[in-house]
Amino acid sequence: MSDQLLQLLFAGLTLGSIYALIALALVTTFNLTGVLNLAQGEFVAIGALLAISIYAAGLPMAAAFILAVFLVAMLGGLLERTAIHTARQASGLTLIIITIGLAISLRGLALLVWGTETYSLPAFSGGGPLFIRGAAVTPQSLWVFGLVAVTLAVLYFFFEHTYWGKAVKASMVNRTAARLVGINPNTVSLLAFITSGALGAAAGIFIAPITMTTYDMGFMLGVKGFVAAVIGGLGNVGGAVLGGLLLGILESYSAGLISSGSKDAIAIIILLAVLLMRPGGLIGAIGQRKV
Amino acid sequence: MKNLLKFKSSNIMLVAVLALIILVSGCAAGGEKDKQNVSGEESYKIGAVIDISGNSSSLGVPERDTLQMLVENLNAGGGINGHPVELTILDNKSDETEAVLAAKTLIEQDVLAVLGCASSGPSMAMINTLQKEKVPMISMAAASSIVEPVEERHWVFKTAQSDIVTVSNIISYLKENGLTKVAFLYMNNAYGDGGKKAFLTAARENNVEVVVEEKFEASDKDMTAQLTRVKSSPAQATVVWAIPPSASILTKNYRDLGIAALLIHSHGVGNQKFIDLAQGAADGVILPIGKLTVVEQIPDDDPQKKVLQSYIDDYTKKYNMLPDSFGGYAWDAFHLVVKAIEKAGPDRGAIRDELENTREFVGVSGVFNMSPRDHNGLDKESMVMVRIENGKWKLLD
């Protein structure tokens, strides 16, 4: 029985890491621009599809990875300049609606380019799964854990320990004050979208060998990433990872121990419970922290 | 005011881009017509509604390609009794509502019969509309409920082996190998439900104990949680009712968990896509399937051998790739309806009667023997058990 619980935990951590990566990108953009980018899931899908196409064209995996991440980062920047920047004076709700429009457009674009077929990438490293006390962990899951850890560490270091990180956080808290001390919020916004494009694409490529990829995979991933970010507290990098892992583990345990039909319902129940009892998320939003 | 204008212009741009994309994708995925107007005799119209895009496109695309090839060949050879055939193929986008709308469009065009759909859900959806208008329908999907109860399916036939036929092959295999405890996993849709009903009934009748029963969604990305239950159960074999891509993900998870029990799939995984997506994990999977995939391994005196070989030759010459069992279902549906029109002429009622009287028709999916009690007409012999070895289908014993 304990083998089974351990196996479910590993499955949950893998799923949770996937959600955490998307939540991290969402939270980073939200932290720096105040925009909740609901097209984040589409960055994940397009990143993975691009990498698969480039890899299929004969380039080595590492080159496909770098090229796809670069292209999606540029796409993120382009979208920020054309859709977000031009409407930067609009209300937060309007901006969210614009990102929903972007998500639908990107999905349509992916459908035109890649069609409805399912694609997959080979795992990054060969060899079978590792067995820890009878429970299996695939090498690709370890890659995903690693990406989460590295991303979290880099973002944490940037925001808490660098001059630039503190500066951009300041520009979010008070735009006018930031301008007065020489930080341009428009540049910050552009960089935030470029970063979230790159982060989304990297996440997509890391999870492609596990989940396989279709043009419309971004929607569900985006929703789960959003739920994870809200559970953790929308403004908080550590909270995003915590929320993602928690969501993945709960889904896995509810599918494995209660019934497979219950897992999506559980995610929504948890979201509602968190929103009712701790509206700021489990860790809390940036506004409550000292900068 | 300036801000408002700015915001408005960006919004308009966005709406325009969106509209353009919807328009373009609508055109791309819209109706595909293949009209063959050969001068001379009046043409016979046949319609087809197929899952060309959407979830079941891996099934629908080979069916469309097969139909297009067959109608070209037929018209090149003079059509039916000198009448050219005009085939209209519509895309249902793997969606029930789209399937019904497409069926209505075809009825308005006065087609003599409707072929389709590739998957069970959309096929079920079209039945009422076509029965009411008294149009013969030949489905290419698996669920037995498409043609049963047969009293309520007067106008409906189908060419894919019913899940009952598939189940009886799997049960025989289990009994021959002394496997009495099995786990059963299925997709939560019309295909999975059909398989579950048929399998659980047959298992009960044959003293096969189902120790774990689990379902998953077609969109699920990971089935480790469900499989963990299988691993800790006493199951000697696992039977799975699914189509790719979820069937491929499940197979990969199964191998990663190192589950020792034998893995048995349904005929829903009968295409190369399943093996490709599973990336090696498919090796060792056992399943019942039509003879098409193992044609060079079946004996020369098999009644189907010549038909299978000629389908493979034609298809490979035209599309430069091997056909799969789904294309085979379309081959059978097309030939059944052409043969019926040949005898009955352009009369829907007479065509239906001819279809019901089909005897000993040697097709790709088996030898069809229709009757007023059986609108599928295939028996257990229409399938063989195969094992996947090194990414290839290998005939068992």
Side-chain angles (χ1 to χ4, degrees), chain A residues 5-16:
Chain A
L5 289 178
L6 195 66
Q7 183 66 63
L8 289 175
L9 179 69
F10 289 152
L13 283 174
T14 306
L15 261 181

Side-chain angles (χ1 to χ4, degrees), chain B residues 211-358:
Chain B
V211 290
V212 179
E213 185 194 318
E214 285 285 336
K215 66 180 171 202
F216 50 88
E217 302 300 321
S219 58
D220 277 0
K221 301 295 182 201
D222 183 278
M223 287 83 175
T224 308
Q226 286 91 333
L227 288 172
T228 305
R229 283 192 165 185
V230 175
K231 193 180 180 185
S232 59
S233 77
Q236 300 158 310
T238 306
V239 178
V240 182
W241 226 267
I243 64 169
S246 55
S248 307
I249 298 178
L250 186 141
T251 304
K252 250 169 69 170
N253 293 160
Y254 199 86
R255 300 291 182 230
D256 285 343
L257 287 179
I259 302 176
L262 202 64
L263 182 57
I264 302 175
H265 270 280
S266 68
H267 56 333
V269 301
N271 57 11
Q272 193 61 34
K273 193 85 197 162
F274 166 70
I275 298 178
D276 292 346
L277 286 177
Q279 295 173 347
D283 279 351
V285 165
I286 287 174
L287 68 144
I289 196 172
K291 294 168 188 166
L292 181 70
T293 43
V294 285
V295 65
E296 69 280 3
Q297 297 167 51
I298 60 173
D300 285 334
D301 60 354
D302 192 287
Q304 285 178 260
K305 184 124 185 170
K306 250 173 67 189
V307 170
L308 294 171
Q309 200 59 59
S310 85
Y311 174 44
I312 291 174
D313 292 345
D314 290 351
Y315 195 93
T316 320
K317 211 168 83 192
K318 184 156 171 66
Y319 297 112
N320 207 15
M321 59 191 282
L322 282 172
D324 61 25
S325 49
F326 301 104
Y329 301 148
W331 193 98
D332 295 336
F334 187 80
H335 281 92
L336 282 172
V337 79
V338 164
K339 229 167 58 80
I341 297 174
E342 220 167 61
K343 287 195 189 151
D347 172 24
R348 286 172 178 172
I351 292 170
R352 191 215 77 92
D353 294 343
E354 277 304 328
L355 284 173
E356 196 166 72
N357 284 320
T358 301

Side-chain angles (χ1 to χ4, degrees), chain A residues 11 34 40 83 125 147 149 151 157 190 234 248-249 286:
Chain A
Q40 189 62 50
S125 46
L147 182 65
T151 309
F157 182 78
L190 178 65
L234 252 182
I249 291 168
I286 189 169

Side-chain angles (χ1 to χ4, degrees), chain B residues 114-117 120 122-132 134-141 143-159 336 352-353 355-356 370-377:
Chain B
V114 172
L115 313 180
C117 309
S120 299
S123 293
M124 294 292 289
M126 297 201 309
I127 289 175
N128 272 339
T129 312
L130 292 173
Q131 293 237 113
K132 220 160 52 199
K134 300 192 178 3
V135 181
M137 159 178 166
I138 308 182
S139 166
M140 301 172 262
S144 311
S145 49
I146 294 169
V147 289
E148 274 166 20
V150 74
E151 306 81 54
E152 293 166 24
R153 301 284 192 268
H154 193 67
W155 295 86
V156 186
F157 301 85
K158 80 186 197 78
T159 55
L336 282 172
R352 191 215 77 92
D353 294 343
L355 284 173
E356 196 166 72
M370 304 272 190
S371 73
R373 311 280 339 131
D374 182 2
H375 280 193
N376 178 213

Side-chain angles (χ1 to χ4, degrees), chain A residues 13 15-16 18 70 81 84 105 107 136 147 157 177 194 209-210 221 234 240 242 254 285:
Chain A
L13 283 174
L15 261 181
I18 295 171
F70 175 76
R81 279 297 107 156
I84 306 293
S105 313
R107 213 175 307 146
L147 182 65
F157 182 78
I194 290 176
I210 299 178
L221 288 174
L234 252 182
L242 186 73
S254 52

Side-chain angles (χ1 to χ4, degrees), chain A residues 21 45 48 88 98 100 157 159 166 186 200 225 233 238 254 263 280:
Chain A
L21 280 170
R88 64 190 177 284
I98 291 177
I100 293 177
F157 182 78
F159 282 128
K166 288 179 182 171
N186 292 333
S254 52
K263 71 178 180 13

